[in-house]
Amino acid sequence: MKQPSFDWNEAKNTANQKKHGVSFYEAQDAFFDPKRVIAEDLDHSDKEKRYFCFGKVGDGVMTVRFTYRDNIIRIFGAGYWRKGRKVYEQENS
C-alpha cells in the first residue's frame, strides 16, 4: 500500500503549534491509526470538500482538519479536542 503524501502551509503550522501545541508533522500520525475515523466537515468551504481525521496519537485522540488536493492530504489544523475523542470512541465502540 502506498504511503499518503502530506502538505501544509508553514505559517499555519507555526500558528497551530502556538495555539494548540501540535505540529502538522505530528498530525500526520493520526492518519496511520488503523481505527481512524474520517468525516466530512460540512461547516467549512463551498470551494472544496474538507474533512476531519480522528486518530490515536500517543495517549490521545487527535483531530486533524484537511482536504485532498491532487491526491495529497493538505492539513489545515490539528489538536486534541474532546469532541474528536467522543466521535472516535463512538465509532470504535
Side-chain angles (χ1 to χ4, degrees):
M1 185 172 147
K2 186 177 173 243
Q3 292 281 25
S5 295
F6 296 91
D7 183 34
W8 54 77
N9 175 295
E10 199 52 51
K12 281 194 175 200
N13 180 30
T14 300
N16 195 83
Q17 288 178 61
K18 287 179 183 167
K19 187 172 182 182
H20 302 296
V22 173
S23 76
F24 292 167
Y25 181 80
E26 294 170 273
Q28 296 176 81
D29 290 346
F31 291 87
F32 296 105
D33 175 357
K35 293 182 176 183
R36 74 186 173 278
V37 178
I38 304 292
E40 190 171 349
D41 179 355
L42 300 173
D43 295 334
H44 290 89
S45 188
D46 296 330
K47 298 179 195 118
E48 64 185 354
K49 287 191 177 198
R50 292 192 175 183
Y51 303 90
F52 295 107
C53 174
F54 308 102
K56 277 248 190 216
V57 178
D59 293 333
V61 174
M62 188 179 291
T63 301
V64 183
R65 292 180 51 230
F66 72 99
T67 193
Y68 294 104
R69 289 188 188 157
D70 301 320
N71 294 320
I72 295 171
I73 296 169
R74 175 107 175 149
I75 297 174
F76 298 119
Y80 292 98
W81 297 302
R82 285 187 300 271
K83 188 176 179 183
R85 176 180 280 283
K86 187 176 177 185
V87 169
Y88 182 89
E89 289 172 350
Q90 285 174 339
E91 292 295 318
N92 284 295
S93 63

